[in-house]
């Protein structure tokens, strides 16, 4: 058995390159990461190696694993479709050996919407579990001792029933019994729903808690409280893991503790950068280049003025951008004599002075160009670079992070 952790974002977007597209649902690409196939091989190998195992068992293992991951996709689709309903954008859902990740390009802004998006995933698993329970009950009714089902009014009877069903599951798993598949998926969906509702980032429950708090408190404060709750929970889980010598639990506790802190830094950056405007940190003294300048001239200017990125002007018209990365790449490829006009970037997004630093940072991330021109109408005011934004963030951010 393996743990399933369901995240909602892959900020670096590095998972895409090693994944294969399975299909598209409502404009969302469903992809599977190459490492996912390791899980299938593992499931098949386990079926083959068990005592009394064989190809039948191997296929059974692969099939149940695939069906479990169908449930994971449905969980992520739950998040995604609700997010799209509230104006968010979802690029894709990627299946990993540890679970699924929905890559959201933009999330709904309102706390109540974020709350509904977060709760939609686990809700899907609870719905699946309920349907499977309705299917499973008639299937296993014959196996359940008479009398057990009649007395379900007391909690103890439920406990006895669950213990009985788990024992039955293991007995059925000894043979290739399809009822075992139903019970396995029932248990897996129930645990997926419950585990993901733990009130700790990066689990859905952390976002649900933050969304609830943000209905009354400001977003940053709600995030800090949710992080503290999650980290306290992680400490309790960790202690429990130590007491019971459960390594898996200890690992999960450490993972939750550090992921929660990470969420705090991300939100802090988003809030701080969302409150600063480009005109406040704009480098308006940036000297410009002409397309006819050589790279040797650029290096000369760069070393004298400690300037790494340049707008390229023809008269008063902006015709290009040359960043430090571009200069280094061009030097490597063409040497110092090449003209700026040949190696500059001609396609680039433009930032307005009233844009937030958050918006500028998103444009830089999307375009991959580390400095963008700031324009007021057709007038170039200067450049804003990733370094400018990071420096402004360091100056403005509160020294203690939640
Ligand atoms: Zn989720």
């Amino acid at each position: 058995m393996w743990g399933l952790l369901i995240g909602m974002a892959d900020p670096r977007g590095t998972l895409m390159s090693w994944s294969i597209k399975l299909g598209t649902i409502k404009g969302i690409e469903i992809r599977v990461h190459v490492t996912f196939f390791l899980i299938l091989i593992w499931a098949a190998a386990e079926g083959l190696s068990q005592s009394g195992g064989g190809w039948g068992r191997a296929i059974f293992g692969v099939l149940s694993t695939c069906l479990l991951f169908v449930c994971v996709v449905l969980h992520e689709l739950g998040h995604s479709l609700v997010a799209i309903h509230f104006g968010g954008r979802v690029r894709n859902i990627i299946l990993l050996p540890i679970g699924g990740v929905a890559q959201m390009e933009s999330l709904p802004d309102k706390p109540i919407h974020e709350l509904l998006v977060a709760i939609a995933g686990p809700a899907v698993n609870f719905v699946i579990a309920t349907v499977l329970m309705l299917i499973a009950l008639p299937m296993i009714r014959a196996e359940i001792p008479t009398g057990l089902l009649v007395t379900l009014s007391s909690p103890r009877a439920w406990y006895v029933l669950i213990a009985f069903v788990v024992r039955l599951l293991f007995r059925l798993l000894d043979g290739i019994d399809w009822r075992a598949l139903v019970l396995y998926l029932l248990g897996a969906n129930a645990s997926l729903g419950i585990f993901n509702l733990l009130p700790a980032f990066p689990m859905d429950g952390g976002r649900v808690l933050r969304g609830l708090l943000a209905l009354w408190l400001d977003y940053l404060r709600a995030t800090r409280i949710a992080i503290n709750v999650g980290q306290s929970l992680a400490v309790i889980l960790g202690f429990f893991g130590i007491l019971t010598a459960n390594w898996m639990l200890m690992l999960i506790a450490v993972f939750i503790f550090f992921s929660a802190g990470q969420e705090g830094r991300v939100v802090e950056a988003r809030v701080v950068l969302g409150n600063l405007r480009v005109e406040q940190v704009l480098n308006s003294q940036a000297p410009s280049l002409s397309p006819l300048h050589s790279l040797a001239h650029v290096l000369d200017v760069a070393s004298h003025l400690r300037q790494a990125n340049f707008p390229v002007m023809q008269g008063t018209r902006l015709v290009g951008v040359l960043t430090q990365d571009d200069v280094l790449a061009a030097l490597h490829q063409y040497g110092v004599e090449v003209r700026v006009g040949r190696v500059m970037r001609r396609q680039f997004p433009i930032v307005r002075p009233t844009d937030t630093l958050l918006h500028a940072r998103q444009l830089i991330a999307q375009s991959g160009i580390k400095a963008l021109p700031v324009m007021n109408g057709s007038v170039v005011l200067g450049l804003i670079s990733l370094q400018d934004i990071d420096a402004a963030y360091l100056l403005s951010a509160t020294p203690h992070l939640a």
Side-chain angles (χ1 to χ4, degrees):
M1 188 57 75
W2 58 94
L4 280 163
L5 306 173
I6 313 293
M8 272 175 51
D10 170 34
R12 290 184 209 95
T14 45
L15 297 169
M16 267 285 284
S17 48
W18 284 90
S19 62
I20 299 157
K21 184 177 165 182
L22 291 183
T24 307
I25 298 175
K26 296 240 175 199
I28 307 164
E29 275 188 6
I30 312 290
R31 307 184 71 96
V32 50
H33 198 260
V34 285
T35 52
F36 172 79
F37 294 102
L38 293 176
I39 280 286
L40 294 186
I41 294 169
W42 177 82
E46 245 211 1
L48 282 172
S49 64
Q50 274 167 5
S51 60
W55 283 107
R57 289 290 287 275
I59 293 168
F60 191 74
V62 170
L63 183 71
S64 45
T65 306
C66 286
L67 285 175
L68 173 63
F69 275 84
V70 167
C71 297
V72 172
V73 169
L74 292 175
H75 171 112
E76 296 301 328
L77 271 178
H79 288 309
S80 305
L81 295 181
V82 175
I84 289 171
H85 178 77
F86 290 125
R89 269 182 311 168
V90 182
R91 203 190 322 161
N92 54 39
I93 292 171
I94 301 182
L95 278 182
L96 300 163
I98 53 157
V101 177
Q103 292 190 303
M104 310 229 172
E105 282 173 357
S106 65
L107 278 165
D109 286 336
K110 287 194 184 142
I112 181 76
H113 292 171
E114 194 196 11
L115 194 158
L116 291 173
V117 169
I119 220 164
V124 167
N125 293 115
F126 288 130
V127 169
I128 297 174
T130 308
V131 171
L132 288 175
M133 189 148 77
L134 294 177
I135 296 173
L137 270 181
M139 288 168 86
I140 60 169
R141 178 159 273 165
E143 312 269 349
I144 297 175
T146 29
L148 194 54
L149 281 181
V150 207
T151 55
L152 282 183
S153 46
S154 79
R156 170 152 172 78
W158 275 102
Y159 174 75
V160 173
L161 179 67
I162 290 172
F164 176 80
V165 171
V166 169
R167 274 203 307 278
L168 179 64
L169 171 64
F170 281 107
R171 189 152 59 79
L172 294 177
L173 274 176
D174 276 345
I176 305 168
D177 191 318
W178 300 106
R179 289 176 295 179
L181 191 56
V182 175
L183 289 181
Y184 166 69
L185 288 175
L186 167 57
N189 274 285
S191 1
L192 265 176
I194 292 167
F195 180 69
N196 276 289
L197 279 182
L198 282 181
F201 294 114
M203 256 74 76
D204 298 328
R207 292 191 168 79
V208 172
L209 177 62
R210 192 235 320 261
L212 284 174
L213 292 169
L215 293 177
W216 292 280
L217 305 170
D218 76 77
Y219 196 70
L220 194 55
R221 201 167 146 64
T223 303
R224 286 190 177 146
I225 295 175
I227 287 167
N228 287 338
V229 170
Q231 290 191 325
S232 311
L233 185 75
V235 170
I236 294 169
L237 277 182
F239 267 118
F240 196 70
I242 292 170
L243 286 179
T244 56
N246 186 334
W247 289 103
M248 197 62 201
L249 204 56
M250 280 185 246
L251 270 180
I252 291 175
V254 170
F255 172 77
I256 291 176
F257 192 89
F258 287 105
S259 305
Q262 172 66 20
E263 174 74 15
R265 283 186 286 280
V266 169
V267 169
E268 183 122 5
R270 219 159 65 193
V271 170
V272 169
L273 294 180
N275 285 331
L276 288 171
R277 309 238 159 247
V278 168
E279 56 201 349
Q280 292 173 271
V281 294
L282 158 75
N283 178 3
S284 56
Q285 305 301 315
S288 60
L289 299 170
S290 143
L292 297 176
H293 281 135
S294 67
L295 276 195
H297 172 77
V298 177
L299 289 177
D300 195 38
V301 176
S303 61
H304 277 93
L305 298 178
R306 296 182 159 268
Q307 169 81 28
N309 310 296
F310 302 89
V312 184
M313 310 286 292
Q314 204 152 33
T316 56
R317 200 164 61 88
L318 178 73
V319 291
V321 169
L322 193 70
T323 68
Q324 190 173 19
D325 290 353
D326 302 333
V327 173
L328 293 175
L331 273 179
H332 183 71
Q333 200 175 351
Y334 303 106
V336 291
E337 292 308 318
V338 70
R339 305 271 168 212
V340 166
R342 188 164 165 207
V343 295
M344 69 186 184
R345 289 172 187 268
R346 294 167 190 275
Q347 302 282 328
F348 44 83
I350 281 164
V351 183
R352 283 166 307 178
T354 50
D355 285 339
T356 63
L357 288 192
L358 183 64
H359 180 69
R361 204 180 200 296
Q362 281 163 349
L363 283 180
I364 287 175
Q366 280 163 18
S367 64
I369 305 173
K370 286 186 186 150
L372 297 177
V374 183
M375 298 190 68
N376 198 358
S378 60
V379 180
V380 182
L381 299 177
L383 285 182
I384 183 138
S385 69
L386 199 56
Q387 290 101 308
D388 298 334
I389 296 174
D390 287 345
Y393 172 64
L394 285 178
L395 285 175
S396 313
T398 42
H400 65 93
L401 292 175

